[in-house]
C-alpha cells in the first residue's frame, strides 16, 4: 500500500460539491436534465451531487474502459456500457470523477452527441490539468490539481481506495 497524502477532506468535498450543485441548479432552472455518471469512479460524487440539487433530475450511467488497472493511460477508449435512457433532444450533463489527458471525456462527449441530445455539458469532480492531450470543455469543476495520482471518494488505484471519504494523493 502506498502512502496517502491528504488533498481534500470530507468537509472540503461537501462544500465544493454543494457549491457546484447550486450552480447547476440555477443554470438549468426550468430545464429537464439527464445526469450521466461515468462508472465506476463517479458513483459517490454523482450520489452526493444529485442530493444537493434543487431541480428535478433523471439519472443514468455510462461506462468506458480506458485505464485498465494501472495509473498510466493506454490512450484507447472503448464503450462498455451504453446509456439506458432515451437522450434524444434532452439535456445531458456528464458527471466524471477526474479528467486527466481528456481522452475519456472527449470520447464520451462525441459518443453522446451521436445520440442527438439537445445539449451535452460536463461536470468533473477533479480537473487534473498537467497532462491534458485533447481540449475538453469542462462546464463545472469542483477542484483543480496540476498532477499526481488521486484516490478516494470513488477514485481508485487498481480498484482500491474508492471507499475513503476524503481525497488523497497516492505516493
Ligand atoms: P483521461 O482519459 O486521461 O482523462 O483519464 C480519465 C480517467 O482515468 C478517469 O475517468 C479516471 O478513471 C482515470 N484517472 C485519471 N487520473 C486519475 C487519478 O489521479 N486517480 C484515479 N483515476 C484517474
Ligand atoms: Mg473514470
Amino acid at each position: 500500500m502506498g502512502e496517502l497524502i491528504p488533498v481534500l477532506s470530507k468537509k472540503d468535498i461537501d462544500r465544493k460539491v454543494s457549491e457546484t450543485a447550486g450552480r447547476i441548479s440555477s443554470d438549468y432552472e426550468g430545464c429537464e436534465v439527464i445526469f450521466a455518471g461515468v462508472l465506476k469512479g463517479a458513483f459517490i460524487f454523482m450520489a452526493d451531487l444529485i442530493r444537493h440539487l434543487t431541480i428535478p433530475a433523471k439519472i443514468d450511467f455510462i461506462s468506458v474502459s480506458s485505464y485498465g488497472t494501472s495509473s498510466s493511460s493506454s490512450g484507447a477508449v472503448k464503450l462498455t456500457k451504453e446509456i439506458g435512457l432515451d437522450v434524444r433532444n434532452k439535456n445531458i450533463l456528464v458527471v466524471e470523477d477526474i479528467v486527466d489527458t481528456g481522452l475519456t471525456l472527449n470520447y464520451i462527449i462525441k459518443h453522446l452527441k451521436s445520440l442527438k441530445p439537445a445539449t451535452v455539458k460536463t461536470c468533473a469532480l477533479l480537473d487534473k490539468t498537467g497532462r491534458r492531450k485533447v481540449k475538453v470543455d469542462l462546464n463545472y469543476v469542483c477542484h483543480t490539481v496540476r498532477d499526481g495520482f488521486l484516490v478516494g471518494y470513488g477514485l481508485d488505484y487498481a480498484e482500491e481506495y474508492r471507499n475513503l471519504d476524503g481525497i488523497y494523493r497516492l505516493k
Side-chain angles (χ1 to χ4, degrees):
M1 293 267 247
E3 192 186 337
L4 297 173
I5 318 290
V7 174
L8 293 175
S9 68
K10 178 172 159 40
K11 215 171 149 197
D12 298 330
I13 298 170
D14 282 348
R15 184 173 42 82
K16 286 169 187 275
V17 171
S18 106
E19 278 169 12
T20 303
R23 269 184 282 135
I24 292 170
S25 297
S26 73
D27 292 353
Y28 284 94
E29 179 126 44
C31 305
E32 204 183 308
V33 193
I34 294 173
F35 287 78
V38 183
L39 292 173
K40 292 182 260 188
F43 81 113
I44 295 178
F45 174 42
M46 174 91 148
D48 284 345
L49 183 76
I50 58 170
R51 283 179 291 176
H52 279 107
L53 296 170
T54 56
I55 52 167
K58 290 186 179 170
I59 310 304
D60 208 340
F61 290 95
I62 187 168
S63 183
V64 294
S65 65
S66 51
Y67 256 64
T69 54
S70 77
S71 59
S72 66
S73 175
S74 66
V77 185
K78 189 177 97 196
L79 186 73
T80 54
K81 188 215 166 289
E82 175 63 289
I83 192 161
L85 293 174
D86 181 5
V87 298
R88 207 179 170 89
N89 300 322
K90 302 283 166 59
N91 300 302
I92 306 176
L93 186 57
V94 182
V95 179
E96 173 64 304
D97 56 355
I98 184 165
V99 181
D100 182 10
T101 63
L103 291 167
T104 304
L105 197 52
N106 189 50
Y107 172 92
I108 290 170
I109 294 167
K110 270 197 193 138
H111 169 68
L112 290 173
K113 280 187 173 165
S114 77
L115 304 175
K116 305 273 188 281
T119 63
V120 180
K121 289 196 174 178
T122 58
C123 174
L125 172 67
L126 296 158
D127 179 10
K128 186 161 76 179
T129 58
R131 303 196 310 161
R132 195 63 38 88
K133 282 187 186 152
V134 289
K135 191 181 171 298
V136 262
D137 279 334
L138 296 179
N139 301 100
Y140 304 94
V141 170
C142 292
H143 186 71
T144 302
V145 294
R146 171 111 194 112
D147 49 27
F149 199 83
L150 305 185
V151 295
Y153 194 70
L155 288 85
D156 75 307
Y157 174 69
E159 295 301 328
E160 295 211 50
Y161 308 109
R162 291 196 200 273
N163 59 323
L164 300 176
D165 66 6
I167 295 172
Y168 299 83
R169 177 170 285 111
L170 190 63
K171 215 170 137 186

